[in-house]
Amino acid sequence: MFITNDIKYIGVNDHEVDLFEGQYVVPNGMAYNSYVIMDEKIAVMDTVDARFGEEWLAKLEKELDGRLPDYLVVQHMEPDHSANILNFANTYPEAKIVSSAKAFGMMKNFFGTDFADKQVVVGEGDTLSLGKHVLTFVTAPMVHWPEVIVTYDSADKVLFSADGFGKFGALDADEDWACEARRYYIGIVGKYGAQVQALLKKAAGLDIAVICPLHGPVLTENLGYYIGLYNTWSSYQPEEEGVLIAYTSVYGNTKKAVEELAEKLEKGGCAKVVVNDLARCDMAEAVEDAFRYSKLVLATTTYNADIFPFMREFINHLTERNYSNRTVAFVENGTWAPMAAKVMKAMLEKSKNITYTESGVKIMSALNDESRAQLDALAAELCR
Ligand code: FEO
């Protein structure tokens, strides 16, 4: 893959992974990106997942065309990128390893060695000259681990952005960028909005023509679009006007209420209505939708004097990612002592800038005239 005259792609596509990072379904696989910068000195940017060591080293060898690499730059120590560091060091024993002090500590934990004889420790603003290309390192703690650095090459105006601007999906998947980048961002980095904002501020001072992330496609055009989405996501602002109804239903009565509410919202002119059955959908997709839209309806049953487990899991995903700045409504169902709304509201207690609707819906087993009237009032309020 052509990136610039001197920068070559040597990453791999993974269509075998069952769950990325042990929890995310990736129907179109995953890409572990790696790059090589060919200059008077040669730098390799990160390695790839353990299962692709041979393929990666073969791609690297082809690009090297008989030369030897001088540096391996390790931007991030999560094993999807770091697993082949030892493999690389054994294959190219003369090459130095360039990384943050924290990353070398992690190498000791992962590999039993911190490569003391090969270390080049870099921090904020440090540079490494390859000849024409001078790399500047920028610390990016918690995007997505504490040791992360990103790297700017001023010669070709390339930002190597580590996990930032990554997405789910192999590079041969033909799919919308934003959909799988959003699910990836919210799921994996969503908790660290403040740190992403800090990185965006540093990046704003750089003249960037190309973004080379560790997952997903290399971004070469319309960079303002991608940076704008990252700004929206990391500042916890809704991306779109719309309502997500997230629900669980045991015997179908709560589901019926949700279906009627969705119909009323659509008839009432709500811009966009999305419905997710939390027991059956991809939980990461539902979490992504909650952060995407401006309004959220939580509908669930009372269960063990608490709420249905999938709803508890969902709300936990939201609160641990700093869910805020949204409108929230509750629909509760309970046959003898409904208390789901109270439990859900308590779970959101620490969430900032949540506006709760005045209308709520209480179903005592199945919809009746009273609860239907509450649905009407809620739909009217949400569409207002
Ligand atoms: Fe792609 Fe945080 O590793």
Side-chain angles (χ1 to χ4, degrees):
M1 183 201 302
F2 179 85
I3 297 172
T4 72
N5 282 333
D6 299 331
I7 300 177
K8 313 292 174 189
Y9 182 83
I10 53 168
V12 298
N13 283 323
D14 182 358
H15 284 288
E16 275 132 45
V17 58
D18 63 340
L19 290 174
F20 178 67
E21 289 190 2
Q23 60 173 316
Y24 297 101
V25 294
V26 280
N28 286 327
M30 203 63 206
Y32 313 113
N33 297 339
S34 170
Y35 309 87
V36 56
I37 308 172
M38 305 292 291
D39 202 340
E40 289 164 29
K41 303 267 188 187
I42 296 173
V44 177
M45 304 300 294
D46 294 290
T47 83
V48 297
D49 186 85
R51 289 169 294 121
F52 297 88
E54 270 182 41
E55 182 182 341
W56 173 68
L57 284 173
K59 286 184 172 184
L60 173 58
E61 191 182 355
K62 185 159 174 266
E63 292 299 342
L64 290 171
D65 197 20
R67 294 178 65 190
L68 291 174
D70 297 279
Y71 302 106
L72 170 65
V73 177
V74 175
Q75 300 186 109
H76 182 18
M77 277 303 295
E78 195 164 12
D80 50 335
H81 313 292
S82 70
N84 278 289
I85 294 174
L86 185 60
N87 204 358
F88 175 91
N90 290 337
T91 309
Y92 298 108
E94 299 304 316
K96 300 279 186 202
I97 299 177
V98 181
S99 199
S100 65
K102 275 202 176 82
F104 283 111
M106 292 179 181
M107 285 178 219
K108 178 102 180 156
N109 294 341
F110 276 112
F111 303 113
T113 171
D114 60 2
F115 303 98
D117 58 329
K118 302 175 194 299
Q119 277 191 17
V120 179
V121 179
V122 293
E124 184 71 30
D126 288 347
T127 58
L128 177 71
S129 176
L130 305 177
K132 190 173 93 178
H133 297 264
V134 177
L135 305 182
T136 302
F137 302 103
V138 176
T139 57
M142 301 321 295
V143 187
H144 134 242
W145 278 12
E147 83 295 1
V148 170
I149 52 173
V150 300
T151 306
Y152 179 66
D153 167 29
S154 52
D156 287 348
K157 300 180 181 170
V158 175
L159 178 69
F160 296 91
S161 59
D163 274 342
F165 299 97
K167 69 182 271 296
F168 294 128
L171 295 196
D172 50 9
D174 183 17
E175 62 185 4
D176 179 55
W177 185 86
C179 186
E180 283 297 69
R182 187 190 302 103
R183 189 169 69 96
Y184 172 89
Y185 173 86
I186 300 294
I188 291 173
V189 196
K191 182 179 179 64
Y192 302 107
Q195 289 84 347
V196 174
Q197 283 280 305
L199 179 59
L200 289 175
K201 284 197 178 75
K202 291 187 202 176
L206 303 171
D207 181 10
I208 300 168
V210 180
I211 296 176
C212 288
L214 288 176
H215 303 288
V218 172
L219 306 174
T220 57
E221 288 174 352
N222 203 12
L223 298 188
Y225 166 74
Y226 304 103
I227 293 168
L229 282 176
Y230 255 63
N231 187 40
T232 301
W233 298 338
S234 58
S235 57
Y236 300 100
Q237 295 303 318
E239 189 182 327
E240 282 178 53
E241 276 302 308
V243 183
L244 166 66
I245 310 177
Y247 78 96
T248 65
S249 187
V250 186
Y251 291 105
N253 289 302
T254 310
K255 181 178 182 180
K256 175 87 176 107
V258 162
E259 285 168 350
E260 289 193 20
L261 177 62
E263 203 181 315
K264 289 173 201 293
L265 288 170
E266 273 155 13
K267 278 192 185 144
C270 263
K272 179 121 191 206
V273 181
V274 175
V275 177
N276 277 320
D277 174 352
L278 298 176
R280 292 174 178 81
C281 71
D282 167 19
M283 184 64 80
E285 188 86 31
V287 172
E288 172 200 344
D289 283 340
F291 282 90
R292 179 174 183 173
Y293 298 111
S294 54
K295 294 170 186 170
L296 172 64
V297 178
L298 298 169
T300 195
T301 46
T302 303
Y303 187 83
N304 285 340
D306 198 281
I307 53 174
F308 206 62
F310 293 103
M311 179 59 81
R312 175 160 280 282
E313 182 190 343
F314 178 66
I315 297 175
N316 281 338
H317 280 301
L318 300 188
T319 54
E320 71 189 22
R321 289 170 177 77
N322 305 326
Y323 184 76
S324 45
N325 305 322
R326 306 292 195 281
T327 297
V328 174
F330 302 113
V331 175
E332 64 176 344
N333 195 348
T335 295
W336 62 94
M339 59 182 300
K342 191 175 149 203
V343 172
M344 290 190 282
K345 194 167 182 182
M347 287 183 76
L348 289 165
E349 201 177 12
K350 289 189 185 144
S351 298
K352 289 184 189 142
N353 196 23
I354 301 290
T355 305
Y356 295 101
T357 56
E358 285 169 23
S359 324
V361 180
K362 186 191 294 280
I363 304 162
M364 297 292 287
S365 305
L367 281 172
N368 58 19
D369 289 348
E370 195 181 339
S371 47
R372 279 208 168 83
Q374 292 171 352
L375 281 178
D376 282 329
L378 177 58
E381 189 177 346
L382 287 170
C383 290
R384 203 153 58 206

